[in-house]
Amino acid sequence: MERKTVEIICPACGQESLLVRRPVYEGLKKSGETLQCAACGHVFASEEEVPYKATTSPTLFTETDRPAAPRVFDEGEQRRLCRYCAHYVVNPFTQWCGVHRKEVEATDTCDRFEERKEDSPPI
């Protein structure tokens, strides 16, 4: 049975409690749900009747506290990775360099890099 809970202040018992949503079934088909106070079992007639507890989350940090976005590569440096090379071959089992004739990773680099044309995918 699926239950979703939200904090409320119950008008019947006056306590801070949880709102329990319980599904109502007609046969095997869900026809609706009941809204009840978890503390006393008070049933609310509709969603509008439920007195939800005001939730205000404290703001501990401002935009000035956030660090600048990290820059891992210099401009253009990432374009020298094997995944952008014309000799980079990909198949379901391995990644291969056609120049060195060895297995490589997409993030490897080498001195014999040749940029692949933008419109052509890796071989």
Side-chain angles (χ1 to χ4, degrees):
M1 180 176 2
E2 181 182 327
R3 294 183 182 178
K4 299 177 183 177
T5 59
V6 178
E7 292 182 26
I8 63 169
I9 298 175
C10 182
C13 64
Q15 295 182 2
E16 273 187 34
S17 181
L18 297 175
L19 177 71
V20 179
R21 296 175 185 266
R22 293 198 174 127
V24 175
Y25 293 97
E26 289 181 15
L28 295 175
K29 186 175 181 182
K30 183 178 176 182
S31 61
E33 60 185 11
T34 60
L35 306 171
Q36 293 181 323
C37 171
C40 68
H42 176 73
V43 179
F44 297 98
S46 67
E47 187 81 29
E48 293 79 30
E49 187 182 312
V50 178
Y52 292 104
K53 182 180 173 187
T55 56
T56 56
S57 58
T59 55
L60 300 176
F61 301 105
T62 62
E63 287 300 319
T64 57
D65 296 325
R66 298 183 195 276
R71 298 212 51 203
V72 179
F73 297 106
D74 290 334
E75 190 63 37
E77 182 182 10
Q78 65 188 8
R79 299 299 298 178
R80 294 196 48 82
L81 299 176
C82 282
R83 72 178 288 181
Y84 300 113
C85 184
H87 304 289
Y88 180 62
V89 180
V90 178
N91 73 35
F93 305 105
T94 188
Q95 301 170 36
W96 186 261
C97 177
V99 172
H100 298 322
R101 298 180 183 266
K102 67 176 187 175
E103 192 170 316
V104 295
E105 296 292 326
T107 55
D108 290 347
T109 59
C110 76
D111 295 332
R112 297 188 55 193
F113 175 84
E114 289 182 33
E115 189 168 357
R116 183 177 67 239
K117 294 180 181 171
E118 287 296 322
D119 56 347
S120 64
I123 301 172

